[in-house]
Amino acid sequence: VSVFEISEIVGILLYFLADRLGRRLTLLTCAVIMAATSLMPMIEHSYSTLIIARSLSGMAGGFLFVIALVYVVEISTKQTQASMGSIILVFLTAGLMAELDINAILATDIHWRLAIAIGSVPAIFLVATIYFMKESPVFYRIKGDTENLKKSIAFYTLEPEDLPLFI
């Protein structure tokens, strides 16, 4: 458990990679890592594999937490940015609480691996739905790609003044 939490902090500190790779690609990468590492304890039964899987999963989870929040705020209008940011935080917290309940129900000698594997369900859902997501307009503004910036702003029905000013 501690390895997961410590790795989450490391993942949070990697937020700057999203400016280089893009929000969409980093979300996809993190979701694939989380799905794979959540399923690893079902296949491999060694202690070292469990520690590696939990640390990679924690790092991806921390990174995903930050980038998902940034992405949602960046594709929201100025009027909805605060509420959308709050909504995602509420749902992420609810998901963490549900995870604790699921783990408590399945925390026996037999089912603890299943409790970890259930963590792959939201990650698999994100991998399946990321196809429908477009890159954040802020990423294109950082890269100086005005053509794709205009397309992204139009796709999300934003106004140029909706983009955060700190970029």
Side-chain angles (χ1 to χ4, degrees):
V1 173
S2 298
V3 148
F4 183 85
E5 302 301 329
I6 292 168
S7 300
E8 261 186 333
I9 294 168
V10 172
I12 289 168
L13 296 174
L14 295 174
Y15 69 91
F16 65 91
L17 291 175
D19 287 343
R20 293 191 180 141
L21 305 174
R23 279 63 162 149
R24 188 171 180 257
L25 180 60
T26 54
L27 286 170
L28 178 63
T29 303
C30 289
V32 168
I33 291 170
M34 285 196 67
T37 56
S38 295
L39 295 173
M40 279 176 67
M42 295 293 287
I43 299 165
E44 179 61 43
H45 297 287
S46 73
Y47 180 72
S48 59
T49 301
L50 177 64
I51 296 299
I52 291 168
R54 295 302 288 164
S55 62
L56 289 174
S57 181
M59 196 175 340
F63 194 49
L64 187 70
F65 185 85
V66 170
I67 300 308
L69 179 61
V70 167
Y71 182 83
V72 167
V73 170
E74 287 179 352
I75 64 170
S76 303
T77 64
K78 256 198 191 333
Q79 295 81 15
T80 61
Q81 283 176 348
S83 59
M84 293 302 288
S86 299
I87 287 169
I88 196 167
L89 288 175
V90 166
F91 279 102
L92 286 170
T93 304
L96 291 171
M97 291 173 61
E99 177 190 18
L100 293 174
D101 290 340
I102 291 168
N103 287 343
I105 292 168
L106 297 176
T108 64
D109 290 338
I110 299 169
H111 295 87
W112 68 268
R113 292 181 195 280
L114 181 60
I116 293 173
I118 287 175
S120 67
V121 173
I124 291 169
F125 178 76
L126 181 58
V127 168
T129 58
I130 204 157
Y131 172 77
F132 303 103
M133 295 168 56
K134 302 291 183 201
E135 186 57 72
S136 161
V138 174
F139 174 70
Y140 291 127
R141 189 163 81 180
I142 290 169
K143 292 297 181 187
D145 187 348
T146 54
E147 183 179 326
N148 283 323
L149 171 63
K150 290 176 186 175
K151 289 178 185 177
S152 185
I153 287 173
F155 178 81
Y156 288 114
T157 61
L158 299 172
E159 298 295 326
E161 61 268 6
D162 286 332
L163 299 181
L165 298 174
F166 54 85
I167 302 295

